[in-house]
Amino acid sequence: MNEVEASSPAGAAEEAAPAAARSRTEPPEDYRLLVPRDWFRVDLTEERWRGGLKKFVNRQATRKRLSAEAQRSLWVSLRNTAEAGVSHGALEFFLKADGIGHSTTPATLLISLLPLPGDLWVGAEDWAEELRKTRRGEIGTTDELPAGKAVRITTKSSLDYYVEMPGRVGYLALGFNVPVSGVESPMGELCEAIAYSLRWV
């Protein structure tokens, strides 16, 4: 599955979803997500994804004039996040340098596919109950996303959506991490807008 980038997701949260999109029962072939062009994208389905991630780290090192130690620390942190994501079905990794202060820690979005077909299917309410056993934060469900019902998890610095895929084949997980400015910030609002832009195709 692939995303479609756009210059800005502004207004995506306010866009009304067609009734057909909400009522569809067949599994989608793909998804679309509006992500600003200044977010750096790494395709985790490619074997050489580490090269793309290294490119982002090198850019950050140049812009922020990082020491060799700081550059290595950033690389290790992002690589570990991506590797853990790949082991759990991650498809794409987006990174955006947070403009607050001199921090080198970027805001990130990790998109993952969680297949739960047939007898493995669990609805959002039950999925939220399962997640409460292992996850911290405020956990609930929402019907507000145009793409469909979702489990929403928030902490001070993270925002996760597990969106039910049509056809009861699984969930698409959108995992936002906003370590510098936090979720209650313009960057957090942008993350919400990106999530609300999700569409099935």
Side-chain angles (χ1 to χ4, degrees):
M1 291 186 173
N2 299 309
E3 46 74 45
V4 173
E5 292 188 21
S7 59
S8 172
E14 300 174 1
E15 182 180 327
R22 285 187 175 276
S23 62
R24 63 181 294 174
T25 58
E26 72 279 8
E29 294 182 3
D30 209 336
Y31 65 86
R32 290 183 180 179
L33 198 66
L34 300 181
V35 180
R37 294 189 185 279
D38 61 346
W39 286 55
F40 189 90
R41 176 180 179 265
V42 178
D43 186 346
L44 297 178
T45 65
E46 295 183 350
E47 291 185 4
R48 298 183 179 180
W49 62 262
R50 289 175 182 79
L53 187 59
K54 188 67 175 176
K55 182 178 180 180
F56 173 83
V57 173
N58 290 341
R59 285 184 181 179
Q60 283 289 90
T62 300
R63 291 172 180 173
K64 299 288 186 176
R65 298 181 180 179
L66 302 182
S67 66
E69 181 179 355
Q71 182 175 351
R72 174 171 173 74
S73 177
L74 178 61
W75 161 248
V76 170
S77 175
L78 295 178
R79 182 201 62 197
N80 289 348
T81 298
E83 287 181 343
V86 169
S87 68
H88 291 87
L91 304 172
E92 300 175 289
F93 193 28
F94 289 90
L95 307 102
K96 173 66 172 75
D98 200 325
I100 293 181
H102 299 286
S103 173
T104 60
T105 305
T108 62
L109 164 60
L110 192 66
I111 303 175
S112 305
L113 178 63
L114 306 176
L116 292 172
D119 293 341
L120 297 178
W121 170 254
V122 178
E125 296 292 348
D126 292 334
W127 185 241
E129 281 299 320
E130 287 298 315
L131 290 172
R132 289 187 183 102
K133 299 176 183 177
T134 58
R135 296 287 303 273
R136 294 185 300 173
E138 184 178 337
I139 302 175
T141 60
T142 178
D143 292 310
E144 294 182 0
L145 263 65
K149 193 164 187 175
V151 178
R152 184 176 185 273
I153 305 176
T154 57
T155 68
K156 183 177 180 180
S157 61
S158 66
L159 169 66
D160 294 332
Y161 279 103
Y162 292 85
V163 188
E164 288 186 356
M165 297 177 66
R168 295 190 172 189
V169 292
Y171 286 82
L172 190 71
L174 309 177
F176 297 92
N177 192 30
V178 192
V180 179
S181 55
V183 171
E184 298 295 330
S185 68
M187 181 67 78
E189 293 175 1
L190 175 60
C191 292
E192 290 276 14
I194 292 173
Y196 273 73
S197 77
L198 177 64
R199 299 292 187 276
W200 306 113
V201 294

